[in-house]
Every structure is written in C-alpha cells, then in structure tokens.
C-alpha cells in the first residue's frame, strides 16, 4: 500500500490532474489506495506474518465479548491508520533522539549506566540482558527524561492539530476568549522551543531538565546561583549546541556528586516549576 501511495503522490501529472479534476483525482487515489490496502490485508489473512509485525498483532486481536477476530473492514481501517500516522512519527522521534545521543556521549553514558543498573544493557559481563517490562519504565527516570527531551526538541508532529471553534465564543479565562469561527492550533514545536518555559538553554539537548531534584555542579558557573547569565560547555563536541546557559545558574552538565549537600542545593533550582509550566503549556 505504501508503494502505491508513493507512486501516486510522486506522479508528475498529479498536480495537473488535481487542478483540472480535483474530484476525479481524489476518487482515483482513494480507489487505488483501498484496493492496495485490501490486497495487503487479504494476503496477511491467508498467510499470517510474524508476531513482530503490526499485521501479525492485529490478526490476533479478538472481540472480548464474542471472541471473533477483526473483520476485513476493521483490519483495513487499522492498517490505514498505521500506514498514514502510526510508524513515521515513531521512527522520526527515535532517529532524532538517537542522533542527539550520538552527539552527546556524556548523556549516552548516563543512560547506559541507568540501563546497566537495571540489567537491561548488554555488556561483556552481561551478554544477555533481561527482557524489558513496562513495570520498569517508571523506574528508568533518565530514560524517560531522554525521551521527553527528544520529543520536546524534535517533535515529529510539530504543527499539532487544528480545530475550528464552531460553537459560541469560548472563554478560557478572563481576558482570553476564542471567538466563534476561530481556528485553534496546538503547535508542539513552539511549545517545546519556548524560552519562557525552558529557559535560555531551550535549544540545548539537556535531558536533565526533566529530572526533579537533580544534583547541580556550579564549578563552571560564570555568575551567581540563580543567574541566567551563566553558561557551560559540553566536552563532547556535539553539533546540537555545544555551549549553552543553565536556568539555575549552574553547570548544565549534571555532576556525579550525589551527596546530601548536593541534593539539598537543588531544592530551589526551579526545575519543578519549569516542568509544571511545560505541562500547563502542553495542556
């Protein structure tokens, strides 16, 4: 189906056909996509693929009330969603986040240390790591921070979604009213790159900003604690901003010092407030 979509969308006469007969072009695309989709589904039903595939998983889904599997129509609908919106966003998020990790080996080392401590990292002493379980995800705080930072900087759905307010004027709060007929968008890219939420180092890949109570090193601070004018340089030579400022006035690189004194030093660093602002903006 993806092959048919690519061929149709890259056809040299597609633009002309759309201008001359927009209704015919749309009907032709819909018909060919539907035929390709149905062919893929019927082939999968006749010869089920492995469980590691989306189609293989869908073929195992049953109605809890009747025990019946998904119908041809339901399978077609699910695969269309997967083809149009269910794989590219995930692959883009993974690719950009892995790219950022490659540019920042010190972040990669911290992530590896966390995975190693959980027995999830393949090492010479542990060549067969434990299988990942969803119960572990809540305990892997730095992994979550890396994922959130990757999504913040490189949102695969940067423009979000848009809706038209067709009802009466909507009052969100005093002084903020959305008139009837107004288009409302959720620009995730703008939210993620807002310095008022994330501070002057907003363009830096710094997963530590998502970790509450992180230890701070002030060794490279050029100003007083709490100042926004201090800066620190990464030592990895990463291409995604090697030098940037920290919101709390300290080093943007997290220190290895986990002493009670270091932990107490972050009590008022504002990281919790920043996360609250980020959540409020996203909402």
């Amino acid at each position: 189906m993806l092959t048919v979509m690519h061929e149709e969308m890259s056809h040299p006469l597609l633009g002309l056909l759309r201008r001359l007969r927009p209704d015919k072009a749309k009907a032709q695309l819909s018909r060919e996509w539907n035929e390709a989709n149905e062919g893929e589904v019927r082939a999968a039903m006749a010869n089920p693929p492995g469980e590691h595939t989306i189609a293989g998983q869908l073929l195992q889904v049953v109605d809890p009330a009747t025990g019946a599997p998904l119908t041809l129509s339901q399978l077609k609908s699910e695969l269309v969603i997967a083809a149009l919106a269910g794989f590219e966003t995930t692959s883009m998020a993974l690719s950009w986040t892995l790219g950022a990790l490659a540019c920042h080996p010190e972040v990669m080392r911290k992530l590896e240390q966390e995975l190693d401590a959980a027995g999830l990292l393949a090492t010479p002493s542990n060549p067969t790591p434990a299988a990942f379980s969803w119960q572990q995800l809540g305990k892997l705080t730095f992994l979550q921070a890396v994922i959130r930072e990757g999504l913040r900087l490189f949102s695969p759905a940067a423009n979000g979604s848009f809706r038209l307010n067709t009802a009466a004027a909507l009052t969100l709060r005093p002084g903020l009213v959305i008139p009837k007929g107004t288009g409302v968008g959720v620009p995730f890219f703008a939210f993620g790159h807002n310095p008022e939420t994330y501070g002057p180092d907003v363009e830096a890949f710094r997963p530590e900003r998502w970790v509450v109570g992180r230890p701070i090193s002030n060794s490279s601070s050029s100003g007083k604690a709490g100042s926004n004018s201090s800066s620190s340089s990464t030592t990895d030579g990463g291409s995604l901003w090697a030098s940037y400022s920290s919101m709390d006035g300290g080093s943007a690189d997290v220190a290895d010092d986990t002493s009670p004194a270091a932990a107490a030093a972050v009590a008022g660093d504002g990281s919790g407030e920043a996360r609250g602002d980020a959540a409020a903006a996203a909402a």
Side-chain angles (χ1 to χ4, degrees), residues 248-266:
D248 49 47
S251 169
D253 295 325
V254 171
D256 293 330
D257 182 10
T258 56
S259 63
V266 302

Side-chain angles (χ1 to χ4, degrees), residues 63-85:
D63 188 325
T66 64
L70 295 180
T71 65
L72 175 66
S73 178
Q74 290 172 327
L75 286 169
K76 286 170 58 179
S77 298
E78 293 294 336
L79 286 178
V80 164
I81 293 174
L84 298 181

Side-chain angles (χ1 to χ4, degrees), residues 171-186:
T171 301
L172 300 181
R173 57 178 172 80
L176 182 57
V177 179
I178 300 178
K180 181 179 179 179
T182 301
V184 180
V186 183

Side-chain angles (χ1 to χ4, degrees), residues 23-98:
D23 54 336
K24 184 177 181 180
K26 184 176 180 179
Q28 179 179 341
L29 286 175
S30 297
R31 182 176 62 256
E32 294 187 1
W33 289 357
N34 182 64
E35 292 174 353
N37 185 19
E38 183 166 332
E40 293 285 344
V41 172
R42 290 189 180 279
M45 295 174 71
N47 186 21
E51 294 183 2
H52 64 283
T53 65
I54 295 176
Q57 290 291 319
L58 289 173
L59 287 171
Q60 297 184 40
V61 175
V62 296
D63 188 325
T66 64
L70 295 180
T71 65
L72 175 66
S73 178
Q74 290 172 327
L75 286 169
K76 286 170 58 179
S77 298
E78 293 294 336
L79 286 178
V80 164
I81 293 174
L84 298 181
F87 79 97
E88 190 175 20
T89 49
T90 302
S91 64
M92 288 175 61
L94 288 172
S95 298
W96 281 103
T97 302
L98 291 174

Side-chain angles (χ1 to χ4, degrees), residues 8-9 11 48 61 67 77 103 110 116 123 134 142 179 192 210 220 227 234 240 256 262 264 268 275:
E8 291 293 340
M9 298 305 293
H11 195 286
V61 175
S77 298
C103 291
K110 289 192 60 175
D116 189 22
T123 63
W134 289 110
F142 195 67
W210 297 97
S220 61
S227 169
T234 61
L240 300 178
D256 293 330
R275 290 187 63 183

